[in-house]
């Protein structure tokens, strides 16, 4: 068993998911288990539904299932696809690659629109590809947390609305931290998870479908499905039920987390994520790191820093954890060693950002990079005005 070195610093979870959760959310999950079919659960599920729909920007039901975000992605795909149907996968990072792989695993014909990592999908390129093929769906990651690129779903939805194709979106690291207007933007399917901007423990998958998508889901010629069958889950949402045994403790946590977000105000939540991600990015630059990616598509929920050639990302992650008890992320893909990633999602504040940059600056110094941590903190304060 690996034992972390003892340190006087408290543990800090600063990943782009899972994220640190408020104490009230943690305590809600430790309450006694209630009857998953009882009146108290139905009341809670009804309130959760009313608080979730504004975050999705939809009047449609939002299905809760016991799974990770990847489980929600797979459930969405098996309900929409029939084996052999084609999808257009917009691939601009690790998680859009995963979306394509799940579709392929279920027998879909996957055509890939390759996009430079760090950039968002180009709606015009999608339009051109749709004109040349019969696609059941276009697969897009809303917020590609491996590269920090935010997709323009409004523009993409305008493209797919003109076609029979569905716009299917992985918003695992988006919902709750980045604006989503599903109904207004023409997003047909959204899959997300509880453990990121929704500031809950991992374990809940959430899915919403448009009326256009539901007509496809209801068909009997889709992929084989039982537990993931949205034909079972969708009708019972408005009865404040789940198709199968709900993850009671996680629903209790989600109820509290959503209550906190609504108390802050949803627009205020979005504004905080934008403001503090901008401040974090300014701090990265002040430390001599590259603000990785296309500036027109910067994510509000994760900041990605390109490292000097002399510094390996894995070494930075290791030093931050072993010295400052702070967990940040590197990359487990073709960017491995070249970048670091810090989450700017969920329950975090300007104090977290300044602490991150102070520890990061000192870690970079210890690894031989010349920088001024105090300058990074000053940049945060300036950008946060």
């Amino acid at each position: 068993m690996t034992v972390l070195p003892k340190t006087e610093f408290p543990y800090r979870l600063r990943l782009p998911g899972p994220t640190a959760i408020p104490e009230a959310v943690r305590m809600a999950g430790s309450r006694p288990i209630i009857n998953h079919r009882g009146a108290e659960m139905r009341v809670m599920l009804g309130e959760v539904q009313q608080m979730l729909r504004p975050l999705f920007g939809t009047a449609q039901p939002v299905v809760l299932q016991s799974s990770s975000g990847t489980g929600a992605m797979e459930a969405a795909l098996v309900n929409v696809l029939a084996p052999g149907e084609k999808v257009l996968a917009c691939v601009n990072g690790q998680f859009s690659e995963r979306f394509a792989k799940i579709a392929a695993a279920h027998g879909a014909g996957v055509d890939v629109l390759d996009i430079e990592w760090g950039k968002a999908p180009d709606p015009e390129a999608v339009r051109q590809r749709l004109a040349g093929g019969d696609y059941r769906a276009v697969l897009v990651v809303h917020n590609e947390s491996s590269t920090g690129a935010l997709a323009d779903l409004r523009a993409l939805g305008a493209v797919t609305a003109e076609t029979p194709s569905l716009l299917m979106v992985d918003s695992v690291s988006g919902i709750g931290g980045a604006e989503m207007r599903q109904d207004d933007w023409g997003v047909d399917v959204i899959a997300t998870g509880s453990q990121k901007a929704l500031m809950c423990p991992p374990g809940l998958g959430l899915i919403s479908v448009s009326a256009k998508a539901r007509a496809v889901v209801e068909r009997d010629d889709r992929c084989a499905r039982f537990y993931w069958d949205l034909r079972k889950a969708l009708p019972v949402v408005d009865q404040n039920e789940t198709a199968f045994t709900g993850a009671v403790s996680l629903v209790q946590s989600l109820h509290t987390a959503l209550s906190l977000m609504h108390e802050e105000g949803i627009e205020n939540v979005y504004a905080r994520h934008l403001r503090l991600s901008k401040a974090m990015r300014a701090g990265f630059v002040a430390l001599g790191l590259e603000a990785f990616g296309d500036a027109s598509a910067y994510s509000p929920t994760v900041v990605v820093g390109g490292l000097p050639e002399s510094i390996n990302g894995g070494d930075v992650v290791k030093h931050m954890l072993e010295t400052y008890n702070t967990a940040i992320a590197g990359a487990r893909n073709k960017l491995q060693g070249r970048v670091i990633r810090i989450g700017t999602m969920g329950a975090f504040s300007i104090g977290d950002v300044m602490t991150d940059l102070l520890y990061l600056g000192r870690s970079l110094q210890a690894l031989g990079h010349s920088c001024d941590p105090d300058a990074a903190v000053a940049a945060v304060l300036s950008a946060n005005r």
Side-chain angles (χ1 to χ4, degrees):
M1 183 177 69
T2 301
V3 178
L4 294 177
K6 291 184 178 179
T7 172
E8 69 272 23
F9 294 93
Y11 182 75
R12 303 177 67 245
L13 185 63
R14 300 294 296 125
L15 302 174
T19 62
I21 64 175
E23 181 66 8
V25 174
R26 189 182 71 81
M27 294 299 293
S30 66
R31 292 179 195 147
I33 300 295
I34 59 177
N35 178 2
H36 71 294
R37 299 295 184 201
E40 59 270 52
M41 186 68 169
R42 288 194 293 274
V43 168
M44 185 164 56
L45 284 170
E47 292 176 351
V48 163
Q49 195 66 208
Q50 292 306 308
M51 290 188 286
L52 275 175
R53 291 182 188 183
L55 289 172
F56 282 73
T58 187
Q60 300 299 321
V62 179
V63 170
L64 304 184
Q65 64 180 37
S66 301
S67 77
S68 66
T70 300
M73 294 161 67
E74 180 163 15
L77 284 166
V78 299
N79 278 274
V80 163
L81 294 176
E85 287 187 326
K86 290 170 59 180
V87 299
L88 178 64
C90 299
V91 174
N92 62 335
Q94 177 181 341
F95 297 103
S96 46
E97 283 184 337
R98 178 179 296 181
F99 216 176
K101 289 177 180 177
I102 298 170
H106 287 282
V110 180
D111 287 350
V112 172
L113 178 60
D114 274 315
I115 301 152
E116 181 181 344
W117 285 31
K119 292 187 176 182
D122 177 5
E124 187 54 38
V126 172
R127 185 189 305 276
Q128 292 174 11
R129 292 291 291 271
L130 289 181
D134 180 20
Y135 295 104
R136 168 57 62 200
V138 178
L139 311 185
V140 175
V141 171
H142 180 201
N143 184 79
E144 179 53 81
S145 60
S146 69
T147 66
L150 186 74
D152 185 349
L153 296 182
R154 184 197 299 269
L156 291 166
V159 171
T160 55
E162 299 173 353
T163 75
S165 300
L166 301 176
L167 178 58
M168 300 187 69
V169 172
D170 157 9
S171 189
V172 173
S173 61
I175 289 287
E179 182 183 25
M180 176 66 79
R181 308 289 180 196
Q182 180 174 10
D183 294 352
D184 291 344
W185 294 349
V187 179
D188 292 301
V189 182
I190 297 174
T192 189
S194 56
Q195 76 276 15
K196 298 197 181 236
L198 292 177
M199 58 188 189
C200 285
L204 279 179
L206 302 92
I207 304 169
S208 62
V209 299
S210 69
K212 178 182 176 182
R214 190 160 180 173
V216 176
V217 168
E218 295 290 347
R219 291 170 54 170
D220 293 330
D221 61 348
R222 303 298 87 193
C223 291
R225 45 193 163 149
F226 185 85
Y227 184 74
W228 294 142
D229 194 343
L230 293 180
R231 294 172 300 177
K232 296 182 177 76
L234 284 164
V236 301
V237 170
D238 287 333
Q239 300 170 30
N240 299 330
E241 292 275 3
T242 55
F244 301 101
T245 302
V248 173
S249 295
L250 291 172
V251 175
Q252 291 177 146
S253 289
L254 180 61
H255 184 278
T256 296
L258 292 170
S259 298
L260 292 174
M261 294 174 75
H262 281 272
E263 286 173 14
E264 182 177 353
I266 300 304
E267 297 304 321
N268 293 333
V269 170
Y270 294 150
R272 172 170 56 83
H273 281 74
L274 284 169
R275 185 180 71 252
L276 295 182
S277 63
K278 178 181 176 182
M280 179 77 82
R281 208 167 277 112
F284 273 29
V285 172
L287 290 173
L289 306 185
E290 172 197 3
F292 184 83
D294 182 353
S296 68
Y298 280 154
S299 165
T301 63
V302 58
V303 177
V304 181
L307 297 167
E309 289 187 3
S310 60
I311 303 292
N312 182 278
D315 293 336
V316 180
V317 172
K318 184 172 184 286
H319 193 277
M320 286 281 283
L321 183 61
E322 292 184 349
T323 306
Y324 299 109
N325 217 9
T326 295
I328 66 169
R332 296 178 296 151
N333 46 55
K334 65 183 182 181
L335 296 178
Q336 187 168 359
R338 295 170 48 198
V339 300
I340 56 168
R341 299 176 298 134
I342 298 182
T344 52
M345 63 178 80
F348 77 112
S349 68
I350 188 66
D352 293 303
V353 174
M354 289 192 292
T355 303
D356 293 337
L357 291 166
L358 179 62
Y359 293 169
L360 177 59
R362 290 177 176 173
S363 294
L364 291 169
Q365 286 177 329
L367 294 169
H369 177 62
S370 178
C371 63
D372 182 358
D374 291 337
V377 171
V380 168
L381 294 173
S382 178
N384 191 54
R385 289 174 182 166

